[in-house]
Amino acid sequence: MKELIEFIAKALVDSPEEVSVVEVEGERGSVIELKVAKPDLGKVIGKQGRTARAMRTILSAASTKVRKRAVLDIVE
Amino acid sequence: MTWYEFTGRSVKEAIAKACEELNAEEPLLDIEVLEESTRGFLGIVGHRDARVRVRKRDILREVTETAEPPESAEGAGSEARLRESAPRPDVDALEGSADEREESGEALKAVESRVDPSPFVEGAREILQGMLDRIPVAAQVEATTANGAVYLDIKGDGSGLLIGKKGQTLDALQFLVNKIVNKANPPGSKVEVVVDTENYRARKQENLRETALRSSEKAKRSLKPVSLTPMPAHERRIIHLILADDREVYTKSYGEGALRRIIVYPRRGTINKRRRR
């Protein structure tokens, strides 16, 4: 799932080399922390958070598939 | 010209009755509201009907005096023009991810100068395939072009996982692929990508068509506006396009964001005309 978010984020931004994704395992599933270059922040969030929402939707489909809970966190 | 009085549960209804009785469309009538309706208490006690006074306008005299064409004739003319230039709804409506392109008549009329989608086909296919591989689902993406858009068909999963509730997963995939493919394209030269699986888009459109026709029937029958459930922009666009050809109703959207919904209004004059025949 980390790879999924990394793939999408790298495709969205202008500086893919500055994308970093960390998966933090918690008690109830994992938290996927996405970090991008400052000018790219808007690109992964999108107008009214649409892009972020779309990524979360796909992530939830993926977590259904592998039966593991995951949430996406975009960190500054 | 003589005056007639009509009553109805609302002013609108009274006017509708008047139009029917006098064989005339609303613009051809002089209307005076004598009394607004009052709803009363709980709709039972103290209800009072609306009363209106109408007479037929003497259009011929008005025309010669003011040298202005009567409203109704002009209205019909511009409508006819709009209908001629409006794009055919069927195939065109399939695509339509653009946000607010749907609403105004302007937008419906505008024939877009489309971007040639073929250079983007392979790139779009790879991106979607890349996403699916990492979900991970075992599915193959087949890419073609259709109606000036890149058409990506996901083959092989078939579980409905990729469609999601009300198609939201499929819409999310489509949104992201569009965004990525058009990253470098300035507004106006964006190519449209449609993501489909198990023929979902066509099935969805068939459902929307049924919804549109059903609500238009209901509006005509009840003479009242019919409100639809909130829908995303491209679905509303399809409904607008389908009902644009129906002269007896018109459609408008109300509300903001995810709660934006279409209301289908009956057009009073044309309904009465039709009933008479």
Short mmCIF file of all heavy atoms in Angstrom, two decimals, chain A residues 6-21 34-40, chain B residues 183:
data_model
loop_
_atom_site.label_atom_id
_atom_site.label_comp_id
_atom_site.label_asym_id
_atom_site.label_seq_id
_atom_site.Cartn_x
_atom_site.Cartn_y
_atom_site.Cartn_z
N GLU A 6 3.02 5.89 -3.05
CA GLU A 6 4.26 6.44 -3.58
C GLU A 6 4.17 6.61 -5.10
O GLU A 6 4.56 7.63 -5.65
CB GLU A 6 5.42 5.52 -3.20
CG GLU A 6 6.77 6.17 -3.40
CD GLU A 6 7.89 5.35 -2.77
OE1 GLU A 6 7.57 4.48 -1.93
OE2 GLU A 6 9.05 5.55 -3.14
N PHE A 7 3.63 5.58 -5.75
CA PHE A 7 3.49 5.60 -7.20
C PHE A 7 2.60 6.76 -7.65
O PHE A 7 2.96 7.54 -8.54
CB PHE A 7 2.91 4.26 -7.68
CG PHE A 7 2.67 4.20 -9.15
CD1 PHE A 7 3.71 3.96 -10.04
CD2 PHE A 7 1.38 4.37 -9.67
CE1 PHE A 7 3.49 3.90 -11.40
CE2 PHE A 7 1.16 4.30 -11.03
CZ PHE A 7 2.21 4.07 -11.90
N ILE A 8 1.45 6.89 -6.99
CA ILE A 8 0.51 7.95 -7.37
C ILE A 8 1.12 9.33 -7.11
O ILE A 8 1.09 10.21 -7.97
CB ILE A 8 -0.82 7.81 -6.61
CG1 ILE A 8 -1.51 6.49 -6.99
CG2 ILE A 8 -1.75 8.97 -6.91
CD1 ILE A 8 -2.72 6.16 -6.16
N ALA A 9 1.70 9.48 -5.92
CA ALA A 9 2.25 10.79 -5.54
C ALA A 9 3.36 11.21 -6.49
O ALA A 9 3.42 12.35 -6.94
CB ALA A 9 2.75 10.76 -4.11
N LYS A 10 4.24 10.25 -6.83
CA LYS A 10 5.36 10.59 -7.72
C LYS A 10 4.86 11.01 -9.09
O LYS A 10 5.48 11.83 -9.76
CB LYS A 10 6.32 9.41 -7.83
CG LYS A 10 7.20 9.30 -6.59
CD LYS A 10 8.38 8.38 -6.79
CE LYS A 10 9.33 8.54 -5.62
NZ LYS A 10 10.26 7.42 -5.48
N ALA A 11 3.75 10.39 -9.51
CA ALA A 11 3.21 10.75 -10.82
C ALA A 11 2.55 12.11 -10.80
O ALA A 11 2.47 12.80 -11.82
CB ALA A 11 2.21 9.68 -11.27
N LEU A 12 2.08 12.53 -9.63
CA LEU A 12 1.35 13.79 -9.55
C LEU A 12 2.24 15.02 -9.46
O LEU A 12 1.90 16.08 -9.97
CB LEU A 12 0.41 13.77 -8.33
CG LEU A 12 -0.90 12.98 -8.42
CD1 LEU A 12 -1.52 12.85 -7.05
CD2 LEU A 12 -1.87 13.67 -9.38
N VAL A 13 3.36 14.87 -8.78
CA VAL A 13 4.15 16.06 -8.43
C VAL A 13 5.16 16.46 -9.50
O VAL A 13 5.38 15.72 -10.47
CB VAL A 13 4.90 15.84 -7.10
CG1 VAL A 13 3.92 15.60 -5.97
CG2 VAL A 13 5.88 14.69 -7.25
N ASP A 14 5.76 17.63 -9.32
CA ASP A 14 6.80 18.09 -10.23
C ASP A 14 8.17 17.58 -9.83
O ASP A 14 9.03 17.39 -10.68
CB ASP A 14 6.82 19.63 -10.26
CG ASP A 14 5.60 20.18 -10.96
OD1 ASP A 14 5.08 19.49 -11.86
OD2 ASP A 14 5.15 21.28 -10.61
N SER A 15 8.38 17.40 -8.53
CA SER A 15 9.69 16.88 -8.10
C SER A 15 9.52 15.52 -7.41
O SER A 15 9.46 15.46 -6.17
CB SER A 15 10.40 17.86 -7.16
OG SER A 15 9.62 19.00 -6.91
N PRO A 16 9.45 14.45 -8.21
CA PRO A 16 9.21 13.11 -7.65
C PRO A 16 10.33 12.65 -6.71
O PRO A 16 10.08 11.86 -5.79
CB PRO A 16 9.11 12.21 -8.88
CG PRO A 16 9.63 13.00 -10.01
CD PRO A 16 9.46 14.43 -9.67
N GLU A 17 11.54 13.18 -6.91
CA GLU A 17 12.64 12.73 -6.05
C GLU A 17 12.46 13.19 -4.60
O GLU A 17 13.06 12.64 -3.69
CB GLU A 17 14.00 13.18 -6.61
CG GLU A 17 14.25 14.69 -6.64
CD GLU A 17 13.48 15.41 -7.77
OE1 GLU A 17 12.87 14.73 -8.62
OE2 GLU A 17 13.50 16.65 -7.80
N GLU A 18 11.60 14.17 -4.39
CA GLU A 18 11.40 14.65 -3.03
C GLU A 18 10.20 14.01 -2.34
O GLU A 18 9.82 14.41 -1.25
CB GLU A 18 11.27 16.18 -3.03
CG GLU A 18 12.59 16.87 -3.29
CD GLU A 18 12.48 18.37 -3.10
OE1 GLU A 18 12.13 18.79 -1.99
OE2 GLU A 18 12.72 19.11 -4.08
N VAL A 19 9.59 13.03 -3.01
CA VAL A 19 8.46 12.33 -2.41
C VAL A 19 8.98 11.26 -1.46
O VAL A 19 9.86 10.48 -1.83
CB VAL A 19 7.58 11.66 -3.49
CG1 VAL A 19 6.55 10.75 -2.85
CG2 VAL A 19 6.90 12.71 -4.35
N SER A 20 8.47 11.27 -0.24
CA SER A 20 8.84 10.16 0.64
C SER A 20 7.59 9.65 1.34
O SER A 20 6.72 10.41 1.75
CB SER A 20 9.89 10.59 1.66
OG SER A 20 9.31 11.37 2.67
N VAL A 21 7.50 8.34 1.43
CA VAL A 21 6.33 7.72 2.04
C VAL A 21 6.80 6.77 3.13
O VAL A 21 7.66 5.93 2.91
CB VAL A 21 5.51 6.94 0.98
CG1 VAL A 21 4.26 6.33 1.63
CG2 VAL A 21 5.10 7.84 -0.17
N LEU A 34 2.67 10.66 3.92
CA LEU A 34 3.18 11.13 2.64
C LEU A 34 3.80 12.51 2.81
O LEU A 34 3.22 13.42 3.37
CB LEU A 34 2.04 11.19 1.61
CG LEU A 34 2.30 11.88 0.28
CD1 LEU A 34 3.36 11.14 -0.52
CD2 LEU A 34 1.02 11.99 -0.52
N LYS A 35 5.01 12.63 2.32
CA LYS A 35 5.71 13.90 2.41
C LYS A 35 6.17 14.30 1.01
O LYS A 35 6.75 13.49 0.29
CB LYS A 35 6.92 13.74 3.33
CG LYS A 35 7.38 15.03 3.99
CD LYS A 35 8.60 14.77 4.86
CE LYS A 35 8.32 15.12 6.30
NZ LYS A 35 9.45 14.74 7.17
N VAL A 36 5.88 15.55 0.63
CA VAL A 36 6.31 16.03 -0.69
C VAL A 36 6.97 17.39 -0.53
O VAL A 36 6.90 18.00 0.53
CB VAL A 36 5.12 16.15 -1.67
CG1 VAL A 36 4.49 14.81 -1.93
CG2 VAL A 36 4.09 17.14 -1.17
N ALA A 37 7.61 17.84 -1.61
CA ALA A 37 8.21 19.17 -1.60
C ALA A 37 7.12 20.21 -1.41
O ALA A 37 6.00 20.04 -1.86
CB ALA A 37 8.95 19.40 -2.91
N LYS A 38 7.47 21.29 -0.74
CA LYS A 38 6.49 22.31 -0.40
C LYS A 38 5.67 22.80 -1.60
O LYS A 38 4.45 22.90 -1.52
CB LYS A 38 7.19 23.49 0.29
CG LYS A 38 6.23 24.39 1.01
CD LYS A 38 6.63 24.56 2.44
CE LYS A 38 5.39 24.79 3.29
NZ LYS A 38 5.71 25.22 4.64
N PRO A 39 6.32 23.13 -2.74
CA PRO A 39 5.51 23.62 -3.87
C PRO A 39 4.56 22.56 -4.43
O PRO A 39 3.64 22.88 -5.17
CB PRO A 39 6.57 23.99 -4.92
CG PRO A 39 7.86 24.05 -4.19
CD PRO A 39 7.75 23.11 -3.04
N ASP A 40 4.80 21.30 -4.08
CA ASP A 40 3.97 20.21 -4.61
C ASP A 40 2.80 19.86 -3.71
O ASP A 40 1.96 19.03 -4.07
CB ASP A 40 4.81 18.95 -4.82
CG ASP A 40 5.64 19.03 -6.09
OD1 ASP A 40 5.19 19.73 -7.02
OD2 ASP A 40 6.71 18.41 -6.15
N LYS B 183 -0.99 16.67 -16.43
CA LYS B 183 -0.14 17.47 -15.56
C LYS B 183 0.52 18.62 -16.32
O LYS B 183 0.55 19.75 -15.87
CB LYS B 183 0.92 16.56 -14.93
CG LYS B 183 1.61 17.16 -13.74
CD LYS B 183 2.37 16.09 -12.97
CE LYS B 183 3.62 15.66 -13.72
NZ LYS B 183 4.54 14.90 -12.86
#
